[in-house]
Amino acid sequence: MDQTFRDIATIVAEKCVNPLTQKSITPGLVERAMKEIHYSVKPGKSAKTQALQVIKLLQEKDAIPIERAQMRLKVEAPKGAGRKIRQQLEEIINTAESESYEDCYNFTFTVDPGKYRQVDEIVSKATRNKGALEVVDVCVTETDDE
Protein backbone atom coordinates (compact mmCIF):
# COMPACT_ATOMS: atom_id res chain seq x y z
CA MET A 1 0.00 0.00 0.00
CA ASP A 2 2.82 2.43 0.89
CA GLN A 3 4.57 1.64 -2.40
CA THR A 4 1.36 2.26 -4.36
CA PHE A 5 0.86 5.55 -2.49
CA ARG A 6 4.38 6.64 -3.54
CA ASP A 7 3.80 5.41 -7.11
CA ILE A 8 0.63 7.51 -7.35
CA ALA A 9 2.47 10.56 -6.02
CA THR A 10 5.29 10.02 -8.53
CA ILE A 11 2.87 9.71 -11.47
CA VAL A 12 1.04 12.88 -10.37
CA ALA A 13 4.37 14.73 -10.09
CA GLU A 14 5.40 13.59 -13.59
CA LYS A 15 2.12 14.69 -15.17
CA CYS A 16 1.63 18.03 -13.43
CA VAL A 17 3.13 21.48 -12.99
CA ASN A 18 2.60 24.43 -10.68
CA PRO A 19 0.33 26.76 -12.71
CA LEU A 20 1.96 29.85 -11.21
CA THR A 21 5.54 28.95 -12.19
CA GLN A 22 5.03 26.25 -14.87
CA LYS A 23 7.70 24.22 -13.05
CA SER A 24 7.36 20.57 -12.14
CA ILE A 25 6.11 19.47 -8.74
CA THR A 26 8.06 17.09 -6.48
CA PRO A 27 6.63 13.71 -5.47
CA GLY A 28 7.21 14.63 -1.80
CA LEU A 29 4.98 17.69 -2.12
CA VAL A 30 2.29 15.57 -3.79
CA GLU A 31 2.54 12.93 -1.01
CA ARG A 32 2.04 15.59 1.68
CA ALA A 33 -0.95 17.03 -0.18
CA MET A 34 -2.45 13.55 -0.59
CA LYS A 35 -2.15 13.03 3.17
CA GLU A 36 -3.74 16.46 3.81
CA ILE A 37 -6.81 15.54 1.77
CA HIS A 38 -6.84 12.08 3.43
CA TYR A 39 -6.50 10.14 0.20
CA SER A 40 -6.54 6.37 0.64
CA VAL A 41 -5.22 3.91 -1.92
CA LYS A 42 -7.79 1.67 -3.62
CA PRO A 43 -6.18 -1.78 -3.99
CA GLY A 44 -8.25 -2.85 -7.03
CA LYS A 45 -7.31 0.12 -9.23
CA SER A 46 -4.08 0.86 -11.07
CA ALA A 47 -1.73 3.58 -9.84
CA LYS A 48 -2.21 5.56 -13.07
CA THR A 49 -6.02 5.57 -12.76
CA GLN A 50 -5.75 6.67 -9.16
CA ALA A 51 -3.18 9.34 -10.07
CA LEU A 52 -5.64 10.94 -12.50
CA GLN A 53 -8.27 10.95 -9.73
CA VAL A 54 -5.78 12.47 -7.27
CA ILE A 55 -5.03 15.32 -9.71
CA LYS A 56 -8.74 16.17 -9.85
CA LEU A 57 -9.10 15.94 -6.06
CA LEU A 58 -6.05 18.15 -5.42
CA GLN A 59 -7.47 20.74 -7.82
CA GLU A 60 -10.95 20.63 -6.26
CA LYS A 61 -9.69 20.91 -2.69
CA ASP A 62 -6.99 23.53 -3.50
CA ALA A 63 -4.44 21.47 -1.54
CA ILE A 64 -1.57 22.72 -3.70
CA PRO A 65 -1.45 24.80 -6.89
CA ILE A 66 -1.51 22.07 -9.55
CA GLU A 67 -2.56 21.52 -13.15
CA ARG A 68 -1.87 18.95 -15.84
CA ALA A 69 1.26 19.80 -17.81
CA GLN A 70 0.57 20.68 -21.43
CA MET A 71 1.59 18.41 -24.31
CA ARG A 72 3.58 19.74 -27.25
CA LEU A 73 2.26 18.31 -30.52
CA LYS A 74 3.28 18.69 -34.14
CA VAL A 75 0.96 18.29 -37.12
CA GLU A 76 2.31 17.44 -40.57
CA ALA A 77 -0.24 17.55 -43.35
CA PRO A 78 -0.63 18.30 -47.07
CA LYS A 79 -0.44 22.08 -47.75
CA GLY A 80 -4.10 22.32 -48.78
CA ALA A 81 -5.36 21.07 -45.41
CA GLY A 82 -3.32 23.54 -43.35
CA ARG A 83 -5.83 26.38 -43.07
CA LYS A 84 -8.70 24.00 -42.33
CA ILE A 85 -6.73 22.25 -39.58
CA ARG A 86 -5.61 25.56 -38.05
CA GLN A 87 -9.21 26.87 -37.94
CA GLN A 88 -10.52 23.73 -36.28
CA LEU A 89 -7.69 23.60 -33.74
CA GLU A 90 -7.96 27.29 -32.82
CA GLU A 91 -10.49 26.64 -30.02
CA ILE A 92 -8.57 23.70 -28.55
CA ILE A 93 -4.91 24.71 -28.47
CA ASN A 94 -3.28 26.77 -25.73
CA THR A 95 -0.28 28.25 -27.53
CA ALA A 96 0.85 28.11 -31.13
CA GLU A 97 4.63 27.76 -31.32
CA SER A 98 5.48 27.51 -35.02
CA GLU A 99 3.71 27.18 -38.33
CA SER A 100 5.02 26.77 -41.87
CA TYR A 101 3.68 26.00 -45.34
CA GLU A 102 6.95 25.04 -47.07
CA ASP A 103 6.94 21.48 -48.53
CA CYS A 104 3.94 20.56 -46.42
CA TYR A 105 1.97 22.12 -43.58
CA ASN A 106 3.80 21.98 -40.22
CA PHE A 107 2.22 23.28 -37.03
CA THR A 108 3.65 22.93 -33.52
CA PHE A 109 1.52 23.84 -30.48
CA THR A 110 0.71 22.99 -26.87
CA VAL A 111 -2.58 21.49 -25.76
CA ASP A 112 -4.15 19.96 -22.67
CA PRO A 113 -3.45 16.18 -22.64
CA GLY A 114 -7.17 15.43 -22.35
CA LYS A 115 -7.72 16.94 -25.82
CA TYR A 116 -5.24 14.69 -27.64
CA ARG A 117 -7.91 12.37 -29.04
CA GLN A 118 -9.95 15.34 -30.30
CA VAL A 119 -6.88 16.83 -32.04
CA ASP A 120 -6.09 13.45 -33.62
CA GLU A 121 -9.65 13.17 -34.99
CA ILE A 122 -9.51 16.70 -36.44
CA VAL A 123 -6.20 16.00 -38.20
CA SER A 124 -7.42 12.62 -39.53
CA LYS A 125 -10.68 14.03 -40.91
CA ALA A 126 -9.18 17.21 -42.38
CA THR A 127 -6.41 15.30 -44.19
CA ARG A 128 -8.38 12.13 -44.98
CA ASN A 129 -5.77 10.18 -42.98
CA LYS A 130 -2.87 11.67 -44.98
CA GLY A 131 -1.66 13.87 -42.12
CA ALA A 132 0.41 12.93 -39.09
CA LEU A 133 0.17 13.96 -35.46
CA GLU A 134 3.40 13.65 -33.49
CA VAL A 135 3.88 13.99 -29.74
CA VAL A 136 6.95 16.22 -29.40
CA ASP A 137 6.86 16.51 -25.60
CA VAL A 138 4.47 14.71 -23.24
CA CYS A 139 5.05 17.17 -20.39
CA VAL A 140 5.96 20.79 -21.15
CA THR A 141 7.56 22.46 -18.13
CA GLU A 142 9.57 25.62 -17.57
CA THR A 143 13.28 24.78 -17.29
CA ASP A 144 15.60 26.28 -14.69
CA ASP A 145 18.41 27.04 -17.16
CA GLU A 146 16.98 30.19 -18.73
Side-chain angles (χ1 to χ4, degrees), residues 7-9 11-13 15-16 34 39 46-60 66 68-69 112-114:
D7 289 347
I8 293 167
I11 293 168
V12 171
K15 293 184 173 294
C16 294
M34 287 169 63
Y39 185 79
S46 73
K48 185 176 180 182
T49 303
Q50 292 185 65
L52 295 172
Q53 290 173 335
V54 166
I55 293 168
K56 288 178 185 161
L57 285 170
L58 292 173
Q59 287 173 326
E60 287 169 11
I66 190 171
R68 289 282 304 265
D112 189 274

Side-chain angles (χ1 to χ4, degrees), residues 4 7 22 24 30 55 71 77 81 89 95 112 118 121 137 144:
T4 307
D7 289 347
Q22 292 303 310
S24 53
V30 175
I55 293 168
M71 292 179 90
L89 291 178
T95 54
D112 189 274
Q118 191 178 353
E121 287 172 8
D137 195 351
D144 292 331

Side-chain angles (χ1 to χ4, degrees), residues 54-79:
V54 166
I55 293 168
K56 288 178 185 161
L57 285 170
L58 292 173
Q59 287 173 326
E60 287 169 11
K61 300 193 184 221
D62 272 340
I64 53 175
I66 190 171
E67 71 177 17
R68 289 282 304 265
Q70 301 298 300
M71 292 179 90
R72 181 174 288 124
L73 301 176
K74 180 180 180 183
V75 172
E76 288 185 14
K79 274 187 189 178

Side-chain angles (χ1 to χ4, degrees), residues 27-40:
L29 180 65
V30 175
E31 278 185 47
R32 282 193 299 279
M34 287 169 63
K35 288 175 184 169
E36 278 178 31
I37 64 168
H38 305 292
Y39 185 79
S40 57

